[in-house]
Amino acid sequence: RKEVEQDPGPFNVPEGATVAFNCTYSNSASQSFFWYRQDCRKEPKLLMSVYSSGNEDGRFTAQLNRASQYISLLIRDSKLSDSATYLCVVNPGGYNKLIFGAGTRLAVHP
Amino acid sequence: GAGVSQSPSNKVTEKGKDVELRCDPISGHTALYWYRQSLGQGLEFLIYFQGNSAPDKSGLPSDRFSAERTGGSVSTLTIQRTQQEDSAVYLCASSLTRAEQYFGPGTRLTVT
C-alpha cells in the first residue's frame, strides 16, 4: 500500500465549478499535512498547510480527519488558472521528510 | 531574493556513464533535500542534509547513487554507471523552517 494515496483524475470541470480532491495516508503518526500544486513541467509549490480544525485560503478549503487518516481539498469557483496537478503531502514526523502522493490532475475549461 | 537553483536543467547521457547534478539552495537554508520524479509518478524522497551531514539517505535507490553537501550550501547528487531506469526529473528543495520546502526547477535526466 502506498503511504499517500490520491485519485489520479483527471478532473475536467467548467469554470466556476466546485471540485473536491481526497487523499488518504497510512502512517497514523504523521504530524503535518500539506497540499502542493505542480504545473506541467514545473516544480511543486506549496498551496496550503492543512490543520486539524480545517482552514481556508480564499477559494481553497482544506480539511483533515486524523481518525480516518483522510485529507481533502475543496476548490470553489474554479478558474482556468487552477488547472494543474494537486499533490497531497504528508510529513511523517521527525525532521522534515515529505511523502508525496502521485497527484490529482485538474483541468478547468471555459 | 534568489530561489533554489539547479544545474544542468537537462542532461542526456549514455547508459553506463556517470552524471553529476548540482543544487544551490536558498541562502541560509540549513536543510536540503533531493527528490526524484519519474514520468507520471509522485515525488520520491532520496536524501536529506542538515548542514553538511546526511542523517537520512534511506531513499537512495542503490549504491550507484551518492550525494554530498559542502559549506552548508551547494549539494551534488552523483549517479554512477547510469541505467535507463534512472531517467527522471531530479528535484532539490531547501528549507529553513520545519514545514515549508522550496523546490528548484529540477534537472531532467534522460539515459539513452
Side-chain angles (χ1 to χ4, degrees), chain A residues 2 31-32 34 36 38 41-46 49 87 91 93-103, chain B residues 10 33 35 37 40-43 45 48 55-56 58 91 95 97-106 108:
Chain A
K2 292 182 181 177
Q31 296 187 354
S32 48
F34 311 92
Y36 275 70
Q38 186 172 27
R41 299 178 80 87
K42 297 286 190 181
E43 71 272 24
K45 293 187 178 176
L46 180 65
S49 300
L87 304 170
N91 178 347
Y95 52 93
N96 206 11
K97 172 180 173 178
L98 297 180
I99 307 297
F100 285 77
Chain B
N10 281 285
Y33 312 81
Y35 295 86
Q37 188 171 31
Q41 303 295 314
L43 276 75
F45 168 82
Y48 155 66
D56 187 348
S58 62
L91 289 152
S95 73
T97 64
R98 282 183 58 82
E100 185 164 2
Q101 295 184 18
Y102 295 87
F103 283 82
R108 185 172 299 275

Side-chain angles (χ1 to χ4, degrees), chain B:
Chain B
V4 178
S5 61
Q6 293 186 244
S7 61
S9 55
N10 281 285
K11 176 72 177 179
V12 180
T13 190
E14 290 180 357
K15 178 180 171 181
K17 301 281 190 185
D18 297 353
V19 295
E20 200 170 272
L21 313 180
R22 177 185 168 110
C23 171
D24 282 86
I26 293 172
S27 178
H29 279 193
T30 54
L32 186 148
Y33 312 81
W34 283 97
Y35 295 86
R36 176 169 76 171
Q37 188 171 31
S38 302
L39 188 64
Q41 303 295 314
L43 276 75
E44 173 190 7
F45 168 82
L46 298 178
I47 187 169
Y48 155 66
F49 286 94
Q50 180 62 40
N52 292 337
S53 63
D56 187 348
K57 48 181 80 170
S58 62
L60 294 178
S62 76
D63 58 8
R64 296 186 295 105
F65 288 71
S66 63
E68 66 173 14
R69 189 179 184 196
T70 55
S73 181
V74 172
S75 176
T76 54
L77 176 69
T78 301
I79 309 173
Q80 295 178 309
R81 304 180 304 281
T82 51
Q83 304 293 313
Q84 287 186 329
E85 62 262 28
D86 299 335
S87 296
V89 176
Y90 290 82
L91 289 152
C92 173
S94 71
S95 73
L96 183 56
T97 64
R98 282 183 58 82
E100 185 164 2
Q101 295 184 18
Y102 295 87
F103 283 82
T107 293
R108 185 172 299 275
L109 175 66
T110 303
V111 182
T112 60

Side-chain angles (χ1 to χ4, degrees), chain A:
Chain A
R1 183 186 171 190
K2 292 182 181 177
E3 290 186 75
V4 179
E5 297 210 55
Q6 297 182 248
D7 183 338
F11 284 60
N12 293 298
V13 302
E15 277 186 286
T18 295
V19 60
F21 303 139
N22 304 317
C23 166
T24 57
Y25 60 95
S26 62
N27 184 346
S28 59
S30 295
Q31 296 187 354
S32 48
F33 310 88
F34 311 92
W35 285 100
Y36 275 70
R37 169 191 169 132
Q38 186 172 27
D39 291 286
C40 189
R41 299 178 80 87
K42 297 286 190 181
E43 71 272 24
K45 293 187 178 176
L46 180 65
L47 178 66
M48 59 196 301
S49 300
V50 186
Y51 303 116
S52 296
S53 55
N55 50 298
E56 189 173 303
D57 182 1
R59 298 180 293 107
F60 298 84
T61 301
Q63 298 276 353
L64 168 65
N65 184 323
R66 284 188 183 270
S68 302
Q69 295 176 213
Y70 170 94
I71 307 162
S72 66
L73 176 68
L74 184 77
I75 305 176
R76 291 182 300 279
D77 188 23
S78 299
K79 311 291 186 190
L80 294 176
S81 57
D82 294 334
S83 298
T85 296
Y86 291 82
L87 304 170
C88 178
V89 185
V90 172
N91 178 347
Y95 52 93
N96 206 11
K97 172 180 173 178
L98 297 180
I99 307 297
F100 285 77
T104 299
R105 195 155 59 90
L106 171 66
V108 182
H109 57 83

